[in-house]
């Protein structure tokens, strides 16, 4: 048996290598900021999700330290036992206040929040409709949950409408039971494009619940950084916000109404059976919410950098316009993309090549991300290196 496992593992690894899709994990030696140090060499970092530049922010670090002074190290237990502290409670209340929901249920990661949401809400007779490009955590949970899952073409509201009409169970008008759940990201992680949320909610109204995973929109878009839904003027039944990107930390919350929050508290296994995030982290996250909401200059700075990026690169093959800090630069084949990333590293620029299966075949890309900590000069340097490498 052991040998069979070894053979299978070896074969999978060999295949991955043959396909040129093997990934490598390399430690960075200091913080993850607009620059990074790897193997003692410093690079300008265009590969983090630290959109607002909070991951290494000193004020936020101080808040975390204060949280440790107040609450100690770990939470010591799952939330329903003794792991839920006044710091967790204050964070939940602040999130509700900021985003206009009655309840916020905290999780240690966006991955577990998404899995918990789908596993605890969906039953066998239900229909789950997901955008084809949704994050792995959503697609995987959809495949494993008992409901029927269908995927609609990326951002294609007509296709979604047809799928609801053909597959959806109509609501029971007597008890208003919802049997269909539509799930989309607010901002798509690999393309940086926005979901047409206002159109999607038109279609789901009365016929399905809508869940929006706003991992890449929260903090970055909308008034006070309230995200894609605020920008689109909608309020879905379920909103997932994650803290590993614009908030510079980690963790996540599902925002919902009172009754759904109570249901998740009782039944979401990733919440019930998992150690609560450290209270010091909840304390720091509270500070992060305050900074995200009030420090508009970070979003203004990003807007300036987008402008600089667009001005300098819009004529180069591979450039794509987005309204977000995610700037995909599509190269095509995995091998070529890897080579381009390597050549940029020789110029002290760190960019990650994103290859299949993360993106479709033939759509390998550099996933360029901008953060409020970058300077215009750094963006200009990137643009001029890309110019000369692509156009010769
Ligand atoms: C759209 C989306 N949802 C969820 C997640 C998972 O979040 P976390 O990193 O907090 O587990 C990610 C992470 O990359 C993501 O891009």
């Amino acid at each position: 048996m052991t040998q069979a496992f070894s053979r299978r593992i070896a074969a999978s690894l060999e295949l991955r290598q043959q396909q040129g899709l093997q990934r490598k994990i390399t430690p960075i030696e200091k913080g993850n900021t607009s620059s990074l140090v790897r193997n003692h060499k410093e690079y300008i970092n265009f590969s983090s999700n630290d959109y607002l530049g909070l991951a290494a922010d000193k004020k936020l670090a101080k808040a975390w330290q204060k949280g440790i002074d107040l609450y100690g190290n770990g939470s010591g237990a799952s939330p329903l036992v003794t792991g839920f502290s006044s710091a967790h409670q204050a964070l939940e209340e602040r999130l509700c206040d900021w985003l206009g929901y009655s309840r916020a249920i905290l999780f240690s990661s966006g991955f577990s929040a998404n899995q918990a949401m789908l596993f605890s809400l969906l039953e066998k007779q239900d229909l789950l409709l997901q955008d084809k490009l949704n994050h792995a955590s959503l697609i995987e949970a959809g495949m494993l949950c008992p409901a029927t899952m269908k995927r609609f073409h990326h951002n294609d509201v007509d296709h979604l409408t047809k799928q609801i009409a053909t597959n959806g169970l109509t609501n029971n008008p007597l008890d208003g039971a919802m049997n269909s759940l539509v799930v989309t990201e607010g901002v798509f992680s690999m393309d940086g494009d926005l979901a047409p949320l206002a159109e999607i909610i038109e279609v789901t109204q009365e016929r399905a619940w809508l869940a929006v995973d706003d991992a890449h929109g929260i903090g970055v878009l909308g008034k006070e950084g309230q995200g894609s839904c605020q920008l689109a003027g909608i309020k879905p039944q379920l909103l997932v916000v994650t803290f590993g990107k614009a908030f510079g930390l980690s963790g996540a919350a599902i925002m919902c109404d009172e009754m759904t929050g109570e249901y998740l508290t009782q039944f979401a296994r990733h919440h019930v059976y998992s150690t609560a995030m450290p209270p010091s982290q909840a304390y720091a996250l509270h500070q992060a919410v305050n900074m995200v909401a009030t420090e508009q200059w970070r979003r203004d700075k990003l807007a300036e950098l987008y402008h600089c990026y667009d001005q300098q690169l819009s004529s180069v093959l591979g450039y794509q316009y987005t309204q977000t800090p995610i700037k995909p630069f599509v190269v095509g084949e995995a091998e070529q993309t890897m080579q381009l990333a390597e050549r940029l590293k020789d110029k002290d620029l760190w960019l990650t090549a994103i290859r299949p299966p993360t993106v479709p075949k033939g759509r390998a890309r550099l996933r360029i991300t901008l953060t409020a900590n970058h300077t215009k000069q750094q963006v200009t340097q990137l643009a001029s290196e890309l110019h000369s490498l692509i156009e010769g």
Side-chain angles (χ1 to χ4, degrees):
M1 269 321 208
T2 319
Q3 273 194 350
F5 271 124
S6 305
R7 266 202 305 277
R8 201 163 71 197
I9 290 167
S12 301
L13 289 173
E14 201 180 309
L15 180 65
R16 186 140 279 206
Q17 187 150 29
Q18 278 167 8
Q19 293 168 329
L21 298 178
Q22 199 171 34
R23 291 158 158 85
K24 206 163 116 209
I25 185 159
T26 4
I28 62 166
E29 285 150 29
K30 289 187 185 163
N32 197 346
T33 65
S34 56
S35 63
L36 61 81
V37 178
R38 259 186 168 133
N39 293 327
H40 312 298
K41 188 173 169 205
E42 186 161 352
Y43 301 86
I44 305 173
N45 176 10
F46 287 104
S47 260
S48 82
N49 294 321
D50 179 29
Y51 305 129
L52 298 184
L54 290 178
D57 186 273
K58 295 272 184 286
K59 196 160 64 172
L60 191 51
K62 280 221 164 67
W64 200 331
Q65 283 153 0
K66 188 167 172 206
I68 294 174
D69 290 343
L70 290 169
Y71 292 92
N73 300 327
S75 68
S78 57
L80 292 178
V81 183
T82 52
F84 189 75
S85 69
S86 51
H88 294 90
Q89 187 178 34
L91 171 62
E92 288 188 355
E93 284 169 7
R94 180 70 180 102
L95 285 167
C96 288
D97 216 38
W98 182 47
L99 297 172
Y101 281 84
S102 307
R103 289 294 296 275
I105 310 296
L106 298 176
F107 293 85
S108 294
S109 72
F111 202 101
S112 58
N114 280 340
Q115 299 244 314
M117 176 172 74
L118 299 192
F119 285 139
S120 52
L121 286 176
L122 292 163
E123 294 184 0
K124 196 164 184 291
Q125 71 278 12
D126 295 336
L127 174 69
L128 168 65
L129 295 168
Q130 298 218 50
D131 187 289
K132 209 166 179 329
L133 296 190
N134 274 357
H135 189 254
S137 52
L138 292 164
I139 299 294
E140 189 201 60
M143 289 191 301
L144 296 176
C145 81
T148 302
M149 178 171 81
K150 303 267 176 200
R151 297 207 249 172
F152 55 94
H153 301 153
H154 177 53
N155 278 351
D156 187 337
V157 181
D158 288 342
H159 193 215
L160 169 64
T161 310
K162 279 193 199 114
Q163 286 199 331
I164 294 188
T166 354
N167 302 297
L169 305 175
T170 40
N171 296 330
N172 177 346
L174 295 177
D175 66 10
M178 300 280 185
N179 296 306
S180 305
L181 177 68
V182 174
V183 187
T184 181
E185 293 184 24
V187 171
F188 285 84
S189 54
M190 293 299 140
D191 291 278
D193 56 337
L194 310 189
L197 292 175
E199 290 170 56
I200 289 178
I201 209 149
E202 286 277 311
V203 176
T204 57
Q205 257 170 16
E206 314 288 324
R207 309 171 79 187
W209 268 20
L210 175 62
V212 176
D213 170 356
D214 208 21
H216 298 275
I218 195 73
V220 170
L221 297 173
K223 182 172 144 261
E224 293 185 6
Q226 287 162 12
S228 312
C229 296
Q230 195 283 331
L231 185 68
I234 70 155
K235 185 178 168 193
Q237 283 82 6
L238 297 154
L239 169 65
V240 177
V241 294
T242 72
F243 308 131
K245 293 156 175 90
F247 289 73
L249 290 160
S250 71
I254 300 180
M255 311 300 303
C256 54
D257 66 15
E258 191 63 48
M259 193 169 67
T260 311
E262 189 51 31
Y263 177 80
L264 292 172
T265 305
Q266 303 297 327
F267 297 108
R269 299 166 79 81
H270 300 69
H271 181 73
V272 177
Y273 297 108
S274 186
T275 301
M277 70 168 69
S280 55
Q281 185 181 336
Y283 189 87
L285 279 167
H286 194 158
Q287 168 76 2
V289 178
N290 291 340
M291 291 170 79
V292 167
T294 58
E295 297 183 359
Q296 178 59 34
W297 66 265
R298 295 179 188 272
R299 285 177 286 278
D300 295 343
K301 172 77 182 298
L302 273 177
E304 273 176 39
L305 296 174
Y306 301 164
H307 185 62
C308 176
Y309 179 90
D310 294 339
Q311 264 190 334
Q312 299 185 58
L313 279 167
S314 58
S315 62
V316 179
L317 195 68
Y319 160 90
Q320 296 206 348
Y321 171 79
T322 69
Q323 292 167 258
T324 66
I326 303 168
K327 307 287 177 199
F329 193 88
V330 178
V331 180
E333 293 311 314
E335 187 60 32
Q336 270 175 295
T337 315
M338 292 296 289
Q339 281 168 8
L340 183 58
E342 284 308 312
R343 289 167 82 182
L344 288 163
K345 278 183 193 121
D346 293 340
K347 306 283 180 190
D348 305 332
L349 299 166
W350 192 279
L351 292 105
T352 306
I354 307 282
R355 296 167 285 166
T358 309
V359 290
K361 225 162 167 265
R363 300 282 296 163
R365 67 199 59 190
L366 298 175
R367 180 176 180 270
I368 299 169
T369 47
L370 302 179
T371 88
N373 277 351
H374 280 124
T375 61
K376 279 194 197 171
Q377 197 193 351
Q378 289 171 326
V379 174
T380 303
Q381 188 178 336
L382 169 66
S384 82
E385 295 298 352
L386 272 174
H387 258 289
S388 59
L389 286 171
I390 300 287
E391 294 178 344

